[in-house]
């Protein structure tokens, strides 16, 4: 039996643990905090195709989009009615341009996505108002994406881990990895931790923005950097936002390599009746301090889409760190520099949506099998990452 050590109990680690355990592997999940205690617990639960241009990430997102309804039904049947719903909802997304200059680029982007197989439907002004009666009357273009969906990310993570446990996986939180263990041949055969060594035939790093730190400890750095985002949460109110609605600047912000602050308007309701207002992107390391100026800019931009929010009450804000990669693609697969080391990280703000597809690719590579998707664009040795890779020092030898 293959024994796999997964470092990271966020949604990507949880999805990998579930599929690997269900396929017969012996799985141990380690996390120095709690399950969903990092990036997965500070996201909005987006499962989007609308924000991805044609290419490998869009292909991965469309693959994941087909998996989510299936896995949602499996989890519901397996865990029973007493386990909280993961709140999967195919609510759809609407992208809106509010300037004349932004209208044609939005429509051109949607046309390119349609050519790649995405259901992207331009809306007339009347159709937009029928879909979102409270939206601004100053829109210049809008596109509806019926495939966009949402889950409750913490519950989804816990559900995937619960399913993994039922298949035999062991989840150990409060355990810090301090280094690697290698055989005499140099193969990674486990990790050193705060509670002793944990052995494995493979070590899979699913630590999101903290994967760079893990890579350093294991002698194979990866160029993952934290990209901070902040979100406002209103008090409960009557349901006036019916889709995930965001302005046309959002795609540019996700694909930008600029480290400075970028904001765009993203607005959606939750099942609890609150409204989530984002979003921001900023590379400032792991600085978690509240930044009122960022929140002020996020709030102001939301009014361009939904003027009624001017009278809304904000009850809290929160922030999180997205795992940013310099070429904007996740790393999914083996490390070509260290035998026995694997990665599933670097999804930036798309990790919730891409988790299930990522797990399928990892499972096929680790345990054998095939998927509907070519994993070559996500390998660590791809040309786009070559300038960013290095090896600092070896992990410990057993």
């Amino acid at each position: 039996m293959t024994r796999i050590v997964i470092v990271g109990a966020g949604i990507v680690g949880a999805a990998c643990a579930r599929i690997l355990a269900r396929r017969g592997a012996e799985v141990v999940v380690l996390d120095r905090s709690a399950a969903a205690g990092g990036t997965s617990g500070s996201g909005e639960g987006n499962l989007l195709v609308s924000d991805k241009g044609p290419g490998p990430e869009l292909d991965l997102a469309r693959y994941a989009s087909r998996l989510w309804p299936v896995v949602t039904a499996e989890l519901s049947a397996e865990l029973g009615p007493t386990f909280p719903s993961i709140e999967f909802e195919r609510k759809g997304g609407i992208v809106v341009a509010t300037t004349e200059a932004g209208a044609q680029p939005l429509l051109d982007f949607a046309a390119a996505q349609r050519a790649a197989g995405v259901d992207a439907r331009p809306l007339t002004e009347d159709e937009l108002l029928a879909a979102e009666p409270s939206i601004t009357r100053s829109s210049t273009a809008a596109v509806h994406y019926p495939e966009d969906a949402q889950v409750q990310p913490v519950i989804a993570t816990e559900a995937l881990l619960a399913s993994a446990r039922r298949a035999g996986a062991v989840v150990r939180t409060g355990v810090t990895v301090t280094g690697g263990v290698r055989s005499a041949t140099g193969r990674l055969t486990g990790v050193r931790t705060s509670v002793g060594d944990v052995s494995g035939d493979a070590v899979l790093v699913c630590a999101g923005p903290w994967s760079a730190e893990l890579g350093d400890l294991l002698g194979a750095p990866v160029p993952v950097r934290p990209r901070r985002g902040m979100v406002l949460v209103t008090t409960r109110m009557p349901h006036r936002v019916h889709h995930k609605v965001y302005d046309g600047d959002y795609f540019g912000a996700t694909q930008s390599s600029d480290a400075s602050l970028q904001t765009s308007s993203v607005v959606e309701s939750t099942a609890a009746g609150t409204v989530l207002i984002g979003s921001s992107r900023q590379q400032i390391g792991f600085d978690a301090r509240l930044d009122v100026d960022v929140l002020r800019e996020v709030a102001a931009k939301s009014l361009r889409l939904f003027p009624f929010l001017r009278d809304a009450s904000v009850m809290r804000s929160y922030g999180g760190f997205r795992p940013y990669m310099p070429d904007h693609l996740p790393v999914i697969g083996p490390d070509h520099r260290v035998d026995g080391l694997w990665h599933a990280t670097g999804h930036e703000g798309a990790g919730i949506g891409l988790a299930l597809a990522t797990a399928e690719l990892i499972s096929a590579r680790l345990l054998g099998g095939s998927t509907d998707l070519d994993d070559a664009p996500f390998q660590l040795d791809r040309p786009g990452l070559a300038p960013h890779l290095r090896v600092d020092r070896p992990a410990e030898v057993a």
Side-chain angles (χ1 to χ4, degrees), residues 54 58 62 109-120:
L58 178 60
R62 296 189 68 222
F109 181 70
Q113 289 176 301
R114 281 196 300 277
V118 175
D119 188 355

Side-chain angles (χ1 to χ4, degrees), residues 17 53 100 156 176 216 222 242 249 267 289 292 295 310 336 377 385 398:
E100 292 296 335
T176 301
D216 287 341
V222 288
H242 304 285
D249 294 336
V267 183
R289 291 174 295 179
V292 175
L295 295 175
R310 188 177 304 276
H336 59 287
L385 286 186

Side-chain angles (χ1 to χ4, degrees), residues 322-341:
R322 306 176 181 95
Y324 166 88
M325 292 292 291
D327 64 353
H328 304 288
L329 287 177
V331 175
I332 306 170
D335 193 304
H336 59 287
R337 303 162 299 177
V338 177
D339 191 20
L341 177 61

Side-chain angles (χ1 to χ4, degrees), residues 14 27 46 59 62 74 87 97 108 122 126 139 142 164 171-172 186 211 221 223 241 247 250 254 275 282 320 395:
V27 176
N46 296 322
D59 296 339
R62 296 189 68 222
E74 290 175 351
E87 298 176 12
D108 291 343
D126 287 344
S139 67
V171 181
R172 301 174 65 184
S211 295
V241 182
D247 68 42
Y250 181 76
T254 65
V275 175
Q282 190 175 20

Side-chain angles (χ1 to χ4, degrees), residues 146-181:
E147 295 169 277
D148 280 358
Q150 186 176 22
V151 295
Q152 209 297 332
V154 175
I155 299 175
T157 301
E158 293 285 8
L160 290 166
L161 287 174
S163 176
R165 288 189 184 96
R166 289 172 62 90
V170 174
V171 181
R172 301 174 65 184
T173 56
V175 176
T176 301
V177 172
T178 59
V181 178

Side-chain angles (χ1 to χ4, degrees), residues 44 228-232 277-282 288-292 294-295 298 317-320 322:
E44 299 172 64
R228 191 186 183 198
M230 300 183 72
V231 176
L232 293 168
I277 301 172
S279 68
S280 67
R281 278 173 162 76
Q282 190 175 20
R289 291 174 295 179
L290 179 70
D291 191 327
V292 175
V294 173
L295 295 175
V298 167
S317 66
Y318 63 90
R322 306 176 181 95

Side-chain angles (χ1 to χ4, degrees), residues 2 4 20 23 201-202 204 342 361-368:
T2 303
I4 301 167
L20 293 169
R23 290 196 59 193
D201 299 301
L204 174 61
W342 294 67
L361 295 183
I362 287 290
S363 173
R365 267 293 185 113
L366 256 175
L367 302 181

